[in-house]
Tab-separated table of all heavy atoms in Angstrom:
chain	number	residue	atom	x	y	z
A	117	ALA	N	2.034	39.774	-2.372
A	117	ALA	CA	1.317	39.721	-1.099
A	117	ALA	C	0.783	38.319	-0.831
A	117	ALA	O	0.693	37.888	0.321
A	117	ALA	CB	0.173	40.737	-1.103
A	118	ARG	N	0.429	37.596	-1.868
A	118	ARG	CA	-0.081	36.230	-1.703
A	118	ARG	C	1.023	35.181	-1.803
A	118	ARG	O	1.051	34.215	-1.053
A	118	ARG	CB	-1.132	35.924	-2.791
A	118	ARG	CG	-2.457	36.543	-2.550
A	118	ARG	CD	-3.223	35.753	-1.534
A	118	ARG	NE	-4.569	36.294	-1.405
A	118	ARG	CZ	-5.408	35.937	-0.501
A	118	ARG	NH1	-5.067	35.044	0.383
A	118	ARG	NH2	-6.600	36.471	-0.441
A	119	THR	N	1.918	35.373	-2.767
A	119	THR	CA	2.878	34.301	-3.045
A	119	THR	C	4.065	34.276	-2.091
A	119	THR	O	4.543	33.196	-1.741
A	119	THR	CB	3.406	34.410	-4.491
A	119	THR	OG1	3.973	35.710	-4.676
A	119	THR	CG2	2.315	34.179	-5.495
A	120	VAL	N	4.551	35.435	-1.654
A	120	VAL	CA	5.745	35.453	-0.804
A	120	VAL	C	5.523	34.699	0.507
A	120	VAL	O	6.356	33.874	0.890
A	120	VAL	CB	6.237	36.900	-0.568
A	120	VAL	CG1	7.292	36.956	0.517
A	120	VAL	CG2	6.776	37.489	-1.867
A	121	PRO	N	4.397	34.921	1.221
A	121	PRO	CA	4.195	34.128	2.451
A	121	PRO	C	4.136	32.624	2.183
A	121	PRO	O	4.668	31.827	2.959
A	121	PRO	CB	2.857	34.640	2.991
A	121	PRO	CG	2.693	35.997	2.409
A	121	PRO	CD	3.361	35.947	1.075
A	122	VAL	N	3.504	32.250	1.071
A	122	VAL	CA	3.425	30.821	0.734
A	122	VAL	C	4.819	30.280	0.441
A	122	VAL	O	5.197	29.194	0.900
A	122	VAL	CB	2.487	30.594	-0.477
A	122	VAL	CG1	2.531	29.154	-0.951
A	122	VAL	CG2	1.063	30.987	-0.124
A	123	LEU	N	5.604	31.061	-0.318
A	123	LEU	CA	6.964	30.626	-0.646
A	123	LEU	C	7.831	30.547	0.606
A	123	LEU	O	8.639	29.624	0.760
A	123	LEU	CB	7.585	31.574	-1.673
A	123	LEU	CG	6.965	31.526	-3.072
A	123	LEU	CD1	7.565	32.599	-3.962
A	123	LEU	CD2	7.126	30.160	-3.709
A	124	ASN	N	7.681	31.535	1.510
A	124	ASN	CA	8.440	31.504	2.761
A	124	ASN	C	8.078	30.281	3.591
A	124	ASN	O	8.948	29.617	4.174
A	124	ASN	CB	8.198	32.780	3.577
A	124	ASN	CG	8.907	33.981	2.977
A	124	ASN	OD1	9.863	33.830	2.215
A	124	ASN	ND2	8.440	35.168	3.298
A	125	SER	N	6.791	29.972	3.650
A	125	SER	CA	6.327	28.794	4.392
A	125	SER	C	6.903	27.519	3.782
A	125	SER	O	7.354	26.623	4.495
A	125	SER	CB	4.803	28.764	4.370
A	125	SER	OG	4.329	27.524	4.793
A	126	GLU	N	6.890	27.457	2.453
A	126	GLU	CA	7.420	26.275	1.767
A	126	GLU	C	8.929	26.164	1.992
A	126	GLU	O	9.460	25.072	2.202
A	126	GLU	CB	7.102	26.361	0.269
A	126	GLU	CG	7.424	25.123	-0.516
A	126	GLU	CD	6.663	23.888	-0.091
A	126	GLU	OE1	5.638	24.003	0.614
A	126	GLU	OE2	7.088	22.784	-0.461
A	127	ALA	N	9.624	27.314	1.963
A	127	ALA	CA	11.076	27.308	2.202
A	127	ALA	C	11.380	26.808	3.616
A	127	ALA	O	12.313	26.024	3.824
A	127	ALA	CB	11.642	28.707	1.989
A	128	ALA	N	10.578	27.268	4.602
A	128	ALA	CA	10.777	26.817	5.993
A	128	ALA	C	10.533	25.310	6.094
A	128	ALA	O	11.274	24.592	6.772
A	128	ALA	CB	9.836	27.573	6.927
A	129	ARG	N	9.495	24.824	5.403
A	129	ARG	CA	9.192	23.390	5.429
A	129	ARG	C	10.358	22.600	4.815
A	129	ARG	O	10.772	21.561	5.343
A	129	ARG	CB	7.903	23.112	4.651
A	129	ARG	CG	7.410	21.676	4.756
A	129	ARG	CD	6.214	21.425	3.868
A	129	ARG	NE	6.550	21.416	2.470
A	129	ARG	CZ	7.115	20.382	1.830
A	129	ARG	NH1	7.406	19.283	2.490
A	129	ARG	NH2	7.386	20.447	0.546
A	130	LEU	N	10.894	23.121	3.713
A	130	LEU	CA	12.018	22.435	3.068
A	130	LEU	C	13.271	22.464	3.938
A	130	LEU	O	14.011	21.477	3.995
A	130	LEU	CB	12.303	23.081	1.703
A	130	LEU	CG	11.253	22.810	0.619
A	130	LEU	CD1	11.565	23.603	-0.639
A	130	LEU	CD2	11.154	21.336	0.297
A	131	ARG	N	13.505	23.587	4.641
A	131	ARG	CA	14.663	23.650	5.548
A	131	ARG	C	14.531	22.605	6.651
A	131	ARG	O	15.495	21.930	7.011
A	131	ARG	CB	14.799	25.054	6.139
A	131	ARG	CG	15.456	26.058	5.208
A	131	ARG	CD	15.863	27.332	5.934
A	131	ARG	NE	14.724	28.055	6.449
A	131	ARG	CZ	14.022	28.953	5.756
A	131	ARG	NH1	14.353	29.231	4.520
A	131	ARG	NH2	12.996	29.572	6.302
A	132	THR	N	13.316	22.479	7.204
A	132	THR	CA	13.072	21.482	8.253
A	132	THR	C	13.308	20.079	7.700
A	132	THR	O	13.943	19.237	8.355
A	132	THR	CB	11.629	21.605	8.776
A	132	THR	OG1	11.432	22.924	9.263
A	132	THR	CG2	11.346	20.607	9.877
A	133	LEU	N	12.805	19.836	6.495
A	133	LEU	CA	12.965	18.524	5.873
A	133	LEU	C	14.445	18.222	5.622
A	133	LEU	O	14.919	17.116	5.903
A	133	LEU	CB	12.184	18.483	4.552
A	133	LEU	CG	12.196	17.174	3.786
A	133	LEU	CD1	11.570	16.063	4.619
A	133	LEU	CD2	11.456	17.322	2.471
A	134	ILE	N	15.182	19.225	5.138
A	134	ILE	CA	16.615	19.037	4.882
A	134	ILE	C	17.343	18.754	6.191
A	134	ILE	O	18.220	17.887	6.257
A	134	ILE	CB	17.192	20.275	4.169
A	134	ILE	CG1	16.693	20.323	2.724
A	134	ILE	CG2	18.712	20.282	4.208
A	134	ILE	CD1	16.994	21.608	1.991
A	135	SER	N	16.970	19.478	7.246
A	135	SER	CA	17.589	19.256	8.551
A	135	SER	C	17.341	17.823	9.036
A	135	SER	O	18.251	17.161	9.550
A	135	SER	CB	17.024	20.269	9.543
A	135	SER	OG	17.512	20.031	10.831
A	136	GLN	N	16.104	17.358	8.860
A	136	GLN	CA	15.779	15.979	9.259
A	136	GLN	C	16.584	14.975	8.448
A	136	GLN	O	17.102	13.989	8.985
A	136	GLN	CB	14.286	15.720	9.085
A	136	GLN	CG	13.404	16.457	10.069
A	136	GLN	CD	11.927	16.344	9.725
A	136	GLN	OE1	11.560	15.888	8.644
A	136	GLN	NE2	11.077	16.771	10.649
A	137	LEU	N	16.692	15.228	7.144
A	137	LEU	CA	17.448	14.314	6.286
A	137	LEU	C	18.935	14.310	6.657
A	137	LEU	O	19.577	13.253	6.651
A	137	LEU	CB	17.273	14.698	4.809
A	137	LEU	CG	15.888	14.449	4.216
A	137	LEU	CD1	15.792	15.008	2.818
A	137	LEU	CD2	15.571	12.963	4.211
A	138	GLU	N	19.466	15.497	6.984
A	138	GLU	CA	20.868	15.561	7.393
A	138	GLU	C	21.092	14.790	8.693
A	138	GLU	O	22.105	14.093	8.842
A	138	GLU	CB	21.300	17.017	7.557
A	138	GLU	CG	21.474	17.742	6.233
A	138	GLU	CD	21.757	19.222	6.395
A	138	GLU	OE1	21.566	19.751	7.521
A	138	GLU	OE2	22.156	19.850	5.404
A	139	GLU	N	20.143	14.906	9.633
A	139	GLU	CA	20.246	14.161	10.890
A	139	GLU	C	20.204	12.657	10.621
A	139	GLU	O	20.996	11.881	11.185
A	139	GLU	CB	19.107	14.569	11.834
A	139	GLU	CG	19.114	13.849	13.166
A	139	GLU	CD	20.373	14.092	13.986
A	139	GLU	OE1	20.981	15.174	13.865
A	139	GLU	OE2	20.762	13.184	14.728
A	140	GLU	N	19.289	12.235	9.745
A	140	GLU	CA	19.205	10.814	9.388
A	140	GLU	C	20.504	10.356	8.728
A	140	GLU	O	20.986	9.255	9.006
A	140	GLU	CB	18.025	10.575	8.437
A	140	GLU	CG	16.670	10.631	9.108
A	140	GLU	CD	15.530	10.434	8.118
A	140	GLU	OE1	15.759	9.911	7.009
A	140	GLU	OE2	14.396	10.817	8.460
A	141	ASN	N	21.058	11.210	7.864
A	141	ASN	CA	22.322	10.863	7.202
A	141	ASN	C	23.450	10.706	8.219
A	141	ASN	O	24.275	9.799	8.100
A	141	ASN	CB	22.704	11.934	6.172
A	141	ASN	CG	21.917	11.785	4.890
A	141	ASN	OD1	21.322	10.750	4.630
A	141	ASN	ND2	21.903	12.828	4.072
A	142	ARG	N	23.478	11.618	9.222
A	142	ARG	CA	24.514	11.504	10.259
A	142	ARG	C	24.363	10.199	11.033
A	142	ARG	O	25.345	9.509	11.325
A	142	ARG	CB	24.448	12.702	11.207
A	142	ARG	CG	25.075	13.966	10.636
A	142	ARG	CD	25.257	15.036	11.697
A	142	ARG	NE	23.982	15.563	12.150
A	142	ARG	CZ	23.337	16.572	11.567
A	142	ARG	NH1	23.850	17.152	10.499
A	142	ARG	NH2	22.179	16.992	12.043
Side-chain angles (χ1 to χ4, degrees):
R118 284 281 186 189
T119 56
V120 169
V122 173
L123 291 174
N124 286 339
S125 167
E126 188 62 17
R129 187 185 71 79
L130 289 174
R131 280 193 296 273
T132 302
L133 182 61
I134 288 170
S135 176
Q136 290 171 349
L137 290 174
E138 287 174 346
E139 180 61 30
E140 286 178 19
N141 282 343
R142 282 192 291 273

